[in-house]
Amino acid sequence: MSDGNIAADQLRLFLERVERLEEEKKGMLDDIKDVYLEAKSQGFDVKTMKTIIRLRRMEKDARDEADALLETYRNALGLH
Amino acid sequence: MSDGNIAADQLRLFLERVERLEEEKKGMLDDIKDVYLEAKSQGFDVKTMKTIIRLRRMEKDARDEADALLETYRNALGLH
Amino acid sequence: MSDGNIAADQLRLFLERVERLEEEKKGMLDDIKDVYLEAKSQGFDVKTMKTIIRLRRMEKDARDEADALLETYRNALGLH
Amino acid sequence: MSDGNIAADQLRLFLERVERLEEEKKGMLDDIKDVYLEAKSQGFDVKTMKTIIRLRRMEKDARDEADALLETYRNALGLH
């Protein structure tokens, strides 16, 4: 077997690993969409849920600071 | 001049128009980045500014509803 | 238990399901990055691998047509 | 006029500059879409045009190398 063939086999294996992982990732994305659809069918608002998930990911200190800054800017602009 | 040549010229013109517009779009993106950098250098928080711009784009009714939903969800979860 | 509490529990469960799936998705993305890094360390070109993966996803007919169109356009423009 | 008011005016000016630029950027994006639609109506393939624009942006050396790598990988995999 030539070096060229070995490399081709190796390349094929790498590609197949990526493709399998991409497939699984696509499955995850579909599952996430399904949870949101189910929540929506139960009357929850998807956009607000996504904001909540972003807020839950933050440390309490960072969240407090972001809240305070937003409040300050909205007040400064009369944006209510 | 053959049809093939006419099509090539036409194609080239379309491509050049797209490329010119892409160039201008890139200039706009750079300008936006510059304004944010300037605001940051004056002590403003860029992330909060981006949230504010999103809120200003919304109709008052939609903004009120989004505010109320977020408040309800945060209270329900004790997320403060 | 009031309706409000039931809804809060339900919301929390939906959020936790999404967060678990997001976590798994992030794991997949990291794994994909790792495969590419490993392939790169073996001498493969990541950008070309990504093009190959896109081509492998296509039906043979669609791939043939895309190849032919690109060749025609490149020839028309002398883009080699 | 208090410092607070000065900052509010300054903030408002930064936001308005960003919003004006965002508006112009949106106009550019619409114009680009229109050129592609016009080209499509003249029989050109938009996807191929986008590939061509990407290739035209590359230096000749980089384009030659990318072409050669893709050809090598496709041959190794029998992907034609």
Side-chain angles (χ1 to χ4, degrees), chain D residues 22-54:
Chain D
E22 291 278 9
E23 201 61 40
E24 289 180 54
K25 191 195 72 180
K26 203 190 154 301
M28 294 295 129
L29 288 172
D30 289 343
D31 287 352
I32 291 170
K33 234 177 264 175
D34 286 347
V35 176
Y36 278 125
L37 277 179
E38 193 185 330
K40 190 187 160 117
S41 78
Q42 299 289 321
F44 292 104
D45 183 69
V46 171
K47 212 167 173 181
T48 308
M49 285 177 72
K50 289 183 180 175
T51 305
I52 291 286
I53 281 183
R54 193 170 46 70

Side-chain angles (χ1 to χ4, degrees), chain B residues 25-70:
Chain B
K25 191 194 70 178
K26 204 190 154 300
M28 294 295 129
L29 287 172
D30 289 344
D31 288 351
I32 291 170
K33 233 176 269 176
D34 286 346
V35 177
Y36 279 124
L37 278 178
E38 194 185 330
K40 191 187 158 118
S41 79
Q42 298 289 321
F44 292 103
D45 183 68
V46 171
K47 213 167 173 181
T48 308
M49 286 178 71
K50 288 183 180 175
T51 304
I52 291 285
I53 281 183
R54 193 170 45 69
L55 292 172
R56 277 162 66 104
R57 252 201 302 265
M58 296 168 80
E59 300 286 340
K60 167 119 181 75
D61 281 1
R63 195 166 58 231
D64 285 348
E65 198 194 327
D67 280 344
L69 274 170
L70 184 56

Side-chain angles (χ1 to χ4, degrees), chain C residues 49-66:
Chain C
M49 286 178 71
K50 289 183 179 176
T51 305
I52 290 286
I53 281 183
R54 192 170 48 69
L55 292 172
R56 277 161 66 103
R57 252 201 302 264
M58 297 168 80
E59 300 286 339
K60 167 120 182 75
D61 282 1
R63 195 166 58 231
D64 285 349
E65 198 194 327

Side-chain angles (χ1 to χ4, degrees), chain A residues 8-62:
Chain A
D9 289 345
Q10 214 188 352
L11 174 59
R12 200 182 302 269
L13 285 174
F14 279 125
L15 294 169
E16 285 166 3
R17 279 171 64 194
V18 171
E19 285 166 347
R20 223 164 12 235
L21 289 164
E22 291 277 8
E23 201 61 40
E24 289 180 55
K25 191 195 71 178
K26 203 189 155 301
M28 293 295 129
L29 287 172
D30 289 344
D31 288 352
I32 291 170
K33 235 178 263 174
D34 285 346
V35 177
Y36 279 125
L37 278 178
E38 194 186 329
K40 190 187 158 117
S41 79
Q42 298 290 321
F44 292 104
D45 183 69
V46 171
K47 213 166 172 180
T48 309
M49 287 177 71
K50 288 183 180 175
T51 304
I52 290 287
I53 282 183
R54 192 170 47 69
L55 292 172
R56 278 161 65 103
R57 250 200 303 264
M58 296 167 79
E59 299 288 338
K60 167 120 181 73
D61 281 1

Side-chain angles (χ1 to χ4, degrees), chain C residues 45 60 67 73-74 80, chain D residues 45 60 67 73-74 80:
Chain C
D45 182 70
K60 167 120 182 75
D67 280 344
Y73 284 30
R74 290 184 73 159
H80 292 293
Chain D
D45 183 69
K60 168 120 182 74
D67 281 344
Y73 284 30
R74 290 183 72 159
H80 293 293

